[in-house]
Amino acid sequence: MEDAYALSMFQALRRLQQGSEVHAKRLSRFGGLTPLQLLILQVMLVEREITASRLAKRVSLSQASLSGVLDRLESRGLLARRRDEQDRRKQWLLLEDAGRDALLSAPPLLPEYVLARFAELPEWERHAVLAGLLRAAELFELPEEEEEE
């Protein structure tokens, strides 16, 4: 029985991965921004100011991986870094006007047809889909003892 669940789960994850890869290619054609860069800018738009460590958690990246992406966004004038007045080790990330402009003309992170189909679902089902996706993401997180290795 567990094998049937594992197979079905993997097939569903594969379909999601395939769909997201196709959409990611479409997104990357927009202004040379990758889906990850657009996600970062979207989070920054909502947060106003955010530290790199908090942003890394919000977009599921290590700080080291995020650093390179932030460098590219900063070099394009889409975001700025500001040192904290009290704690000079802490940096705040701020969305620049050019970053806001890029988001205004950017395509949505999810395909329009997905957003339309999702909007047509009853509210309880939208909550169930989101809860299921969040729970599935949690299932794939490594246990703490394995992360440290």
Side-chain angles (χ1 to χ4, degrees), residues 51-99:
T51 62
S53 60
R54 181 153 165 77
L55 180 61
K57 288 178 184 156
R58 294 283 311 272
V59 298
S60 302
L61 272 183
S62 70
Q63 288 230 9
S65 297
L66 178 64
S67 181
V69 180
L70 293 178
D71 289 344
R72 287 186 287 285
L73 291 171
E74 186 177 29
S75 72
R76 294 180 64 177
L78 302 176
L79 68 85
R81 300 177 204 212
R82 179 181 56 77
R83 289 260 176 233
D84 190 275
E85 301 280 324
Q86 281 74 41
D87 183 353
R88 303 295 292 164
R89 295 168 298 173
K90 187 187 285 188
Q91 277 191 344
W92 291 96
L93 305 172
L94 307 133
L95 189 62
E96 294 281 22
D97 289 339

Side-chain angles (χ1 to χ4, degrees), residues 23-42 61 69 72-73 76 78 103 106-107 109:
H23 186 63
K25 287 178 186 170
R26 287 188 202 122
L27 281 178
S28 65
R29 290 187 205 123
F30 163 78
L33 292 173
T34 66
L36 177 60
Q37 290 171 333
L38 284 172
L39 173 62
I40 288 168
L41 295 177
Q42 290 279 0
L61 272 183
V69 180
R72 287 186 287 285
L73 291 171
R76 294 180 64 177
L78 302 176
L103 286 173
L109 286 171

